[in-house]
């Protein structure tokens, strides 16, 4: 008798578990659907209905509805990557003393690593004390309240080139960068991003303007990854860099690589067709697609569609736009 009771209880537990599983994975049963509607407050039903209507409205007006399946897949892949939280680590493993004419200064080697990544994702830059000092001044002007408790290593009248002082500053600058990056408003700010990327960009674009495309491409390829990680919330910001890489590859007669980077740039401009790079990039991509024997008609249709909506204005070529970046 006790055994029968135990078996009966076990069956009841199994049946209960089955009902819970069915409830969580299937639609409501007929019995549930026939329950009185009054159990759900009318205000809640009204709010849910308004939300559904709003979502339907937004979906019908979304510019993504005009994309092809391939374009939509690429767009959402990019959106998913941009939503991932990226954390960077800063290391200053070494320094070097530079003597230039009558000046002498220490260059600090900064390695920027993405957490959970391999060495292929690291970026290496060099900055001197005066670069850190300029960053600190700019941040104090823009974020005086946030920077209130941030300390900065002060200059010393003597001993700036001793091993002891240099090692102290290595640790101090590492902690300084870590602290700045921990503050969302600062790590997304122009002064902080410029500190980590602008010197390299100025050199790269100088090489591009001078026709040194191989050197420009080398620098741009190094810094574009860092720029992307720093501006994860603003994917359009790396479009000029991607387009400069397109220009370099095109002038070096590497149309396949140029087209690859052009696709990356276009994927970030799907909903930003008024961007100054959009039409020059489309025109370049049409020429590259034709040269490579790829489908250029869809690109041509986008160009014609844009021209039909906009008043005809003078548009720079992609190269003309690229050489104007970082002129000052």
């Amino acid at each position: 008798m006790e055994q029968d009771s135990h078996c009966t209880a076990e069956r009841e537990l199994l049946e209960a578990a089955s009902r819970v599983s069915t409830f969580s994975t299937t639609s409501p049963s007929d019995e549930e659907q026939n329950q009185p509607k009054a159990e759900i407050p009318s205000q809640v039903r009204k709010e849910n209905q308004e939300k559904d209507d709003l979502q339907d409205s937004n979906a019908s007006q979304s510019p993504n509805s005009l994309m092809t399946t391939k374009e939509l897949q690429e767009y959402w892949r990019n959106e998913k990557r941009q939503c991932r939280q990226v954390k960077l680590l800063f290391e200053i493993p070494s320094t070097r003393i530079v003597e230039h004419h009558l000046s002498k200064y220490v260059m600090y080697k900064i390695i920027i690593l993405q957490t959970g990544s391999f060495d292929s994702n690291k970026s290496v830059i060099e900055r001197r004390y005066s670069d850190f000092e300029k960053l600190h001044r700019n941040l104090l002007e823009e974020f005086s309240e946030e920077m209130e408790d941030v300390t900065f290593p002060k200059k010393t009248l003597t001993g700036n080139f001793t091993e002891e002082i240099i090692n102290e500053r290595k640790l101090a600058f590492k902690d300084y960068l870590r602290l700045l990056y921990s503050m969302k408003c600062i790590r997304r700010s122009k002064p902080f991003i410029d500190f980590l990327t602008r010197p390299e960009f100025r050199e790269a674009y100088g090489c591009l303007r001078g026709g040194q495309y191989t050197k420009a491409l080398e620098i741009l390829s190094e810094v574009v990854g860092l720029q992307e990680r720093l501006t994860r919330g603003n994917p359009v910001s790396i479009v000029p860099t991607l387009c400069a890489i397109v220009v370099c590859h095109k002038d070096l007669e590497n149309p396949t690589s140029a087209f690859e980077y052009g696709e990356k740039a276009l994927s970030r401009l799907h909903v930003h067709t008024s961007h100054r790079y959009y039409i020059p990039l489309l025109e370049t991509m049409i020429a590259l697609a034709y040269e490579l024997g790829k489908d250029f008609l869809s690109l041509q249709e986008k160009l014609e569609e844009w021209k039909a909506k906009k008043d005809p204005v003078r548009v720079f070529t992609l190269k003309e736009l690229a050489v104007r970046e970082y002129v000052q």
Side-chain angles (χ1 to χ4, degrees), residues 68-89:
T68 65
T69 301
K70 181 180 178 182
E71 290 172 342
L72 191 59
Q73 289 173 343
E74 179 64 23
Y75 177 80
W76 285 116
R77 274 198 296 269
N78 288 331
E79 287 294 311
K80 186 176 180 181
R81 285 196 295 267
Q82 289 149 21
C83 289
R84 295 174 187 164
Q85 185 178 6
V86 175
K87 292 186 178 180
L88 301 181
L89 300 176

Side-chain angles (χ1 to χ4, degrees), residues 140-151:
L140 283 174
E141 290 179 3
E142 192 169 343
F143 305 100
S144 57
E145 185 175 344
E146 291 81 357
M147 294 290 292
E148 187 175 359
D149 297 324
V150 178
T151 58

